[in-house]
């Protein structure tokens, strides 16, 4: 219902008020807005997360809540092991990425940390691509 605050939103707002604000950083991927092989369900969920974060950034702002997304390129994690041709994906990403290598978990963590600092206080509802330039290549 428009104008009716959900219980979850009330809890988030109350917690943020008590803490003097807060930062939400969600993780996404290029599959949120591009079609990737064998990625349909995951891509749709990532697109949904990005939309929710945009709304949280606006609705949470009065309570001092900042919300953003880090959209990471290929990172060799346990999650990637569930995709077909994992090795091929990593090799292709390293070869095609202008930065010359695939991402590490530390690369992604650094972007998340940046968005949590006061220096990023005016970045709200944005998707920060951290992919070494991979998404720039057609």
């Amino acid at each position: 219902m428009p104008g009716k605050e959900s219980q979850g939103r009330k809890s988030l707002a109350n917690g943020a008020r008590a803490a003097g604000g807060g930062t939400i950083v969600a993780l996404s991927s290029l599959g949120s807005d591009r079609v990737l092989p064998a990625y349909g369900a995951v891509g749709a969920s990532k697109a949904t997360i990005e939309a929710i974060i945009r709304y949280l950034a606006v609705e949470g702002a009065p309570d001092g809540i900042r919300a953003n997304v880090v959209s990471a390129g290929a990172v060799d994690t346990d999650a990637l092991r569930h995709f077909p041709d994992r090795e091929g994906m990593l090799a292709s990403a390293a070869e095609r990425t202008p930065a010359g290598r695939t991402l590490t978990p530390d690369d992604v963590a650094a972007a998340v940390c940046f968005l949590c600092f006061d220096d990023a206080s005016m970045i709200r509802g944005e998707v920060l691509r951290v992919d070494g330039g991979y998404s720039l290549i057609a």
Side-chain angles (χ1 to χ4, degrees):
M1 273 185 183
K4 187 170 184 180
E5 192 171 42
S6 72
Q7 187 60 40
R9 166 75 178 91
K10 284 180 187 175
S11 295
L12 182 64
N14 289 338
R17 270 189 226 106
T23 302
I24 299 168
V25 180
L27 297 178
S28 188
S29 68
L30 189 58
S32 68
D33 60 9
R34 307 242 179 114
V35 177
L36 303 176
Y39 207 70
V42 176
S45 70
K46 298 295 187 178
T48 301
I49 288 169
E50 291 180 14
I52 290 169
I53 288 297
R54 286 190 294 275
Y55 281 90
L56 283 173
V58 172
E59 294 174 4
D63 297 311
I65 299 169
R66 299 186 329 237
N68 289 290
V69 177
V70 168
S71 177
V75 181
D76 190 9
T77 64
D78 288 342
L80 197 60
R81 291 187 177 101
H82 298 283
F83 290 93
D85 194 27
R86 170 183 159 269
E87 293 301 323
M89 283 175 62
L90 290 170
S92 174
E95 185 178 295
R96 196 178 139 198
T97 300
R101 65 174 178 83
T102 56
L103 294 165
T104 66
D106 286 344
D107 294 322
V108 179
V112 171
C113 286
F114 166 71
L115 290 171
C116 293
F117 286 120
D118 288 340
D119 290 345
S121 66
M122 292 305 288
I123 301 172
R124 294 170 185 242
E126 295 297 326
V127 176
L128 176 60
R129 290 206 192 275
V130 180
D131 65 4
Y134 180 92
S135 60
L136 300 174
I137 307 299

